[in-house]
Amino acid sequence: MRRWFDRHMKLVMVLPALIFIVLMIIAPLAYNFSYSFTDWQMSLVKAPKFIGLQNYKEILHDERFLNSVWRTIVFSSIAIVVETILGVALAVLINRKFHGRRVVQALMLLPVVATPVAMGMVWKLMLEPSIGIANVVVEALGFQRRAFLATTGFESMLWLIIIDIWEWTPMVMLMVYGGLQTIPLEPYESALIDGATKWQTFTKITLPLASSSILIAVLMRLIDVIKTYDIIYATTQGGPSFATETINIYGYLNMFAYYRFGKAAAISVLFFIVVMAMGCGFLWVKSKVEVEY
Amino acid sequence: MKKLLALVMVACMVFGLVACGAPASQTTAAEPAAPAAAAPAAEAPAAAPAKADEPKPYDGVTLRVILASHDWTNAMKTEIPKFEAATGMKVEYEVYPEGQLSDKLNVELGSGGQYIDVFMCRPLQEVQQFIKNGFLAPVDDLYADAEFQGDDIIPATLSAYQLSGGDGTMYGVPLVTERQVLMYRKDLFEKAGLSVPTSLEEYEACAKALNGIEPGVVGVTMRGLGNPAVTQFTAYLFACGGDWIDFSGEHPKSLVNTPEAIKAFDFYGRMLREYGPADCLNMHWAECANLFSTGGAAMVTDADSIWKSFCGPDTAVYDKTGFALTPGQHSFNVCAWGLAISANSPNLAAAKEFVKWAAGVEEVKYIQTSGISSARLSSWNDPACTANYPADLLESIQKANEIATKAYDRPLCTSVAAARDAIGAVITASIEGKDVAAAAEKADAEFQRLLDEDFGG
């Protein structure tokens, strides 16, 4: 027995993780996938009935779903672009030696360690148009009071994006900072001798050499930002009038508020495909632009 | 040894995942950290083990009760230990805000419901669905019990716990009733020289005159968040002569885009847009209550059962607030909350005993005395029980009880949540000053689709 263990050590060590993945990820996925082809609604007391691609057909003609896809794309792309630019800038900043750097680093990480739901509630209170502090500031600056999250236009979405940027930019910063630390000094010395400007050094040396960690940070944020649920649920719950409803929120409502299990399953399958496709596409881009050194 | 280690690792990972998976707010919401499963307990009182002192009928029985975070629950927290002492039962209760309560009940009851004994729910929101799914234990025997005095419960509220179009079997007991009332600032009305509005026109004129009468005071506040606003909007829908569903034909028909409904949507949206708070689109009742209780609004209409949050003794406007019937003089009288028993509860007899006690004449009198609108006539007729109510509130409630012809404040269908979302979109459009007719048309199509699904159109 002991020898068997010794011989199959690799398998034994991987097995727990494998069992875990099968039980907790693959099995629910397969289960979900199978139910996406059924008409199953708790409100109607009917056993799941196989209806083929009907759910998918319905969803792809559902204006609310299509709008939620569009909102998810807008939310994710703006958040990702801004978070990456700010994150890299901040990483470069804290990579320099200056007085109190450690304190600045620690302070910047605070949003990341806070619970997103709690932060959502705090932002909701700050942006509350009647009693929130945001309007006090807006008025002090001489502008008209705003409704912030209580608008059905783009403004409520914009504020959610700002909350996401505030919360997750430090995470990008941290990962890029880690990458910057690994860049050797030699290329910089050569650049100095060659008479490169600061901008040239940044674009030709720092960025390419840190590209690997930047791209990893972007990939992780990409997967995360598409799935954003907590801050939206804590602040607007997808409202007012669906103005901030992303695919995630719409899927959640279909499952837990409308009890349309079949439709919710189909939404999550489509969502899964979207996330996978974006992830794979991104990995392809990464392989093209990454620099080895 | 390694095998054991692997097992422990798997267990740790699974536990970690489960712990992470629970919604944060839900875990914090459960007040006493009650264990998930009720102890397997003796069903009949006879099985109680004998103790040194006098044996109690339900010794050793543990009851799992799911409650809503509501004034009723707060008032009962001090009473439950007395019940435990009298019966020997152990009552483990958990408290959730209403949205999470719905999720919790649906998930637990949907997966068998054998770990829940008694639960609080909003009958108009989910009981039709629960009955159709066989989640609820019939409680006709409770109503037949002379001690329980079932005929003392306000008759209009009973329909909330019957299957619509069914045989009249009762599936629960109403606890809290509510009607819509107007709460207004007497001092501001006096300052503006206005009298209390009775019609919608007068209501609008008052809102206009009172808007900005003092710095930071809006004319009126009402729920503006689409889905929750539907119940409060219903009073105005009735006042404009509208209704939600036409049940007269062969198939139920949506009435969401009738001229009456559009008139009501227009009115409700205009009131909030012109004379309401800036953020009304995100306002549920709690936000309205915050605003009114801190003196930020001159008028509000909402459920009378939560009047204390708006203008109770703890608020800044307690002695400045007057009450009247909702303008338009059309009210409903609904059962807002009640108790039901899970069909698969392992402790049916004990669960019924709990319901019989909690919704019994004595406890209800105590509840009513603490200011919660009960569902028992005996409490409403007992001056001692209503002494805590402001006189004009009591008068408006009794008037509303007289004129209320309808026992619902939302569409009576199975897919209530989806219907409320669809209809809520019209309310939002109206508040924003968008094309109400177009929004109503769209909501009508969606609502009709839901009705066809629910009733088989």
Side-chain angles (χ1 to χ4, degrees):
Chain A
M1 190 67 185
R2 203 188 166 105
R3 285 185 55 198
W4 185 89
F5 263 118
D6 287 343
R7 255 188 293 133
H8 296 89
M9 197 47 147
K10 273 188 210 157
L11 184 72
V12 171
M13 294 308 272
V14 171
L15 200 62
L18 202 67
I19 294 172
F20 174 77
I21 288 174
V22 169
L23 274 183
M24 290 296 167
I25 299 175
I26 300 187
L29 260 180
Y31 187 70
N32 181 74
F33 189 66
S34 68
Y35 277 115
S36 71
F37 300 107
T38 62
D39 178 21
W40 186 21
Q41 304 185 16
M42 199 196 259
S43 58
L44 283 179
V45 222
K46 277 194 294 191
K49 193 177 100 192
F50 182 78
I51 51 164
L53 291 171
Q54 191 58 39
N55 279 328
Y56 292 93
K57 232 185 257 171
E58 192 187 314
I59 291 166
L60 293 175
H61 288 99
D62 181 353
E63 198 189 328
R64 221 174 127 185
F65 174 76
L66 298 176
N67 284 335
S68 74
V69 173
W70 174 238
R71 280 187 215 105
T72 309
I73 294 172
V74 170
F75 179 88
S76 314
S77 33
I78 299 183
I80 283 283
V81 169
V82 178
E83 279 167 24
T84 311
I85 295 173
L86 283 181
V88 171
L90 287 173
V92 171
L93 185 75
I94 61 162
N95 195 33
R96 295 174 166 217
K97 290 195 170 58
F98 59 89
H99 201 62
R101 186 171 66 145
R102 296 264 163 218
V103 179
V104 172
Q105 270 176 21
L107 284 179
M108 280 191 177
L109 284 179
L110 283 181
V112 179
V113 292
T115 312
V117 173
M119 286 303 104
M121 301 299 277
V122 170
W123 275 92
K124 187 183 177 186
L125 276 178
M126 291 201 299
L127 295 175
E128 214 286 329
S130 317
I131 57 166
I133 193 163
N135 258 337
V136 177
V137 176
V138 166
E139 267 190 331
L141 293 174
F143 295 105
Q144 284 267 316
R145 293 174 77 89
R146 305 205 62 88
F148 301 112
L149 294 170
T151 49
T152 56
F154 183 64
E155 187 173 343
S156 43
M157 189 48 115
L158 185 68
W159 281 102
L160 288 180
I161 296 173
I162 291 174
I163 299 173
D164 194 79
I165 292 171
W166 171 82
E167 177 141 32
W168 294 112
T169 299
M171 159 112 154
V172 178
M173 175 197 83
L174 194 68
M175 294 179 73
V176 177
Y177 175 64
L180 290 179
Q181 298 270 296
T182 62
I183 301 179
L185 273 178
E186 289 80 2
Y188 289 101
E189 286 164 359
S190 323
L192 200 65
I193 293 166
D194 291 345
T197 62
K198 277 190 176 169
W199 178 248
Q200 279 171 330
T201 317
F202 176 68
T203 52
K204 305 281 184 201
I205 299 174
T206 310
L207 271 190
L209 294 190
S211 64
S212 172
S213 55
I214 295 175
L215 289 170
I216 291 286
V218 172
L219 178 67
M220 292 194 62
R221 276 310 297 145
L222 182 73
I223 294 171
D224 231 27
V225 81
I226 302 174
K227 296 192 298 186
T228 303
Y229 171 82
D230 30 27
I231 53 170
I232 302 180
Y233 195 76
T235 48
T236 62
Q237 307 194 345
S241 195
F242 321 128
T244 52
E245 191 173 79
T246 56
I247 308 180
N248 240 352
I249 300 278
Y250 187 50
Y252 167 82
L253 286 176
N254 268 285
M255 178 76 196
F256 292 105
Y258 309 158
Y259 306 112
R260 286 156 199 277
F261 299 156
K263 191 174 168 188
I267 291 174
S268 42
V269 168
L270 287 179
F271 187 50
F272 178 73
I273 293 171
V274 170
V275 177
M276 281 298 278
M278 288 178 81
C280 292
F282 187 79
L283 283 179
W284 181 79
V285 172
K286 182 173 176 287
S287 69
K288 292 282 155 198
V289 298
E290 208 170 11
V291 177
E292 297 281 337
Y293 64 92
Chain B
M1 187 61 206
K2 279 171 193 158
K3 207 172 173 184
L4 185 75
L5 204 68
L7 258 175
V8 170
M9 275 169 67
V10 171
C12 287
M13 283 190 292
V14 170
F15 177 77
L17 190 93
V18 171
C20 296
S25 40
Q26 190 161 310
T27 37
T28 51
E31 283 183 2
E43 169 75 302
K51 281 191 176 175
D53 49 332
E54 211 176 295
K56 288 164 185 163
Y58 290 96
D59 272 334
V61 178
T62 303
L63 211 59
R64 182 166 178 239
V65 180
I66 310 279
L67 299 174
S69 115
H70 188 276
D71 287 348
W72 183 88
T73 307
N74 295 338
M76 288 305 275
K77 278 179 187 167
T78 51
E79 293 294 288
I80 288 176
K82 297 180 195 165
F83 173 74
E84 289 178 320
T87 58
M89 221 182 275
K90 186 163 168 27
V91 179
E92 284 180 343
Y93 62 89
E94 294 160 41
V95 184
Y96 298 94
E98 61 185 44
Q100 284 158 27
L101 179 79
S102 279
D103 295 351
K104 176 107 191 138
L105 291 176
N106 271 289
V107 171
E108 283 218 29
L109 294 172
S111 54
Q114 63 272 40
Y115 299 117
I116 296 188
D117 296 305
V118 179
F119 58 90
M120 207 169 161
C121 67
R122 293 174 290 171
L124 294 172
Q125 187 78 12
E126 44 224 2
V127 159
Q128 290 301 318
Q129 178 205 338
F130 286 178
I131 297 176
K132 282 187 189 173
N133 284 331
F135 291 168
L136 308 182
V139 290
D140 282 332
D141 45 346
L142 200 59
Y143 284 86
D145 188 337
E147 246 180 82
F148 180 66
Q149 298 185 31
D151 52 357
D152 181 37
I153 293 174
I154 300 174
T157 62
L158 293 177
S159 62
Y161 276 104
Q162 295 164 342
L163 183 65
S164 36
D167 58 0
T169 305
M170 290 303 300
Y171 288 94
V173 181
L175 285 178
V176 181
T177 59
E178 60 185 35
R179 298 132 294 263
Q180 178 138 299
V181 289
L182 168 72
M183 294 168 248
Y184 64 95
R185 287 276 299 279
K186 288 187 283 193
D187 55 330
L188 298 180
F189 266 72
E190 205 169 300
K191 191 173 171 187
L194 296 167
S195 54
V196 181
T198 53
S199 66
L200 295 184
E201 291 73 28
E202 287 170 21
Y203 184 33
E204 187 167 358
C206 285
K208 191 174 178 184
L210 293 166
N211 195 26
I213 188 166
E214 277 177 9
V217 175
V218 294
V220 67
T221 181
M222 298 185 281
R223 299 183 193 183
L225 190 59
N227 177 321
V230 170
T231 45
Q232 268 38 59
F233 167 78
T234 300
Y236 299 97
L237 178 71
F238 291 163
C240 290
D243 205 334
W244 290 123
I245 309 169
D246 177 9
F247 280 108
S248 63
E250 196 183 336
H251 296 300
K253 195 177 164 312
S254 156
L255 297 173
V256 170
N257 70 344
T258 55
E260 293 83 10
I262 290 175
K263 187 180 161 202
F265 282 123
D266 252 335
F267 174 79
Y268 196 88
R270 190 171 64 244
M271 287 290 281
L272 284 175
R273 184 174 65 244
E274 308 270 340
Y275 321 114
D279 57 332
C280 56
L281 280 183
N282 265 347
M283 287 175 89
H284 201 332
W285 71 263
E287 284 79 15
C288 291
N290 283 343
L291 188 66
F292 189 81
S293 62
T294 51
M299 296 187 284
V300 61
T301 58
D302 213 298
D304 57 20
S305 61
I306 44 175
W307 70 275
K308 278 188 165 175
S309 301
F310 284 86
C311 51
D314 307 333
T315 65
V317 294
Y318 176 55
D319 46 2
K320 296 179 193 156
T321 305
F323 299 86
L325 269 182
T326 299
Q329 312 281 306
H330 270 267
S331 189
F332 42 75
N333 189 350
V334 300
C335 169
W337 289 96
L339 283 179
I341 298 171
S342 167
N344 291 330
S345 156
N347 307 307
L348 272 182
K352 276 182 189 161
E353 191 63 29
F354 178 81
V355 174
K356 183 178 159 185
W357 164 78
V361 176
E362 288 314 308
E363 279 312 308
V364 168
K365 278 194 172 166
Y366 157 75
I367 284 296
Q368 176 94 38
T369 311
S370 71
I372 299 157
S373 303
S374 78
R376 279 192 178 270
L377 292 165
S378 56
S379 305
W380 282 111
N381 295 334
D382 184 347
C385 294
T386 51
N388 276 340
Y389 281 76
D392 47 352
L393 173 61
L394 190 61
E395 196 186 320
S396 331
I397 289 176
Q398 278 162 346
K399 244 194 250 168
N401 277 341
E402 280 166 32
I403 62 164
T405 50
K406 294 178 171 123
Y408 55 91
D409 58 0
R410 65 203 78 186
L412 274 185
C413 55
T414 319
S415 312
V416 181
R420 284 179 77 159
D421 270 350
I423 294 164
V426 192
I427 297 178
T428 309
S430 176
I431 295 173
E432 289 202 300
K434 289 185 181 158
D435 186 349
V436 174
E441 180 89 37
K442 205 170 140 193
D444 184 72
E446 172 68 9
F447 185 41
Q448 186 63 52
R449 196 180 62 77
L450 293 171
L451 288 178
D452 291 345
E453 278 181 10
D454 286 355
F455 297 96

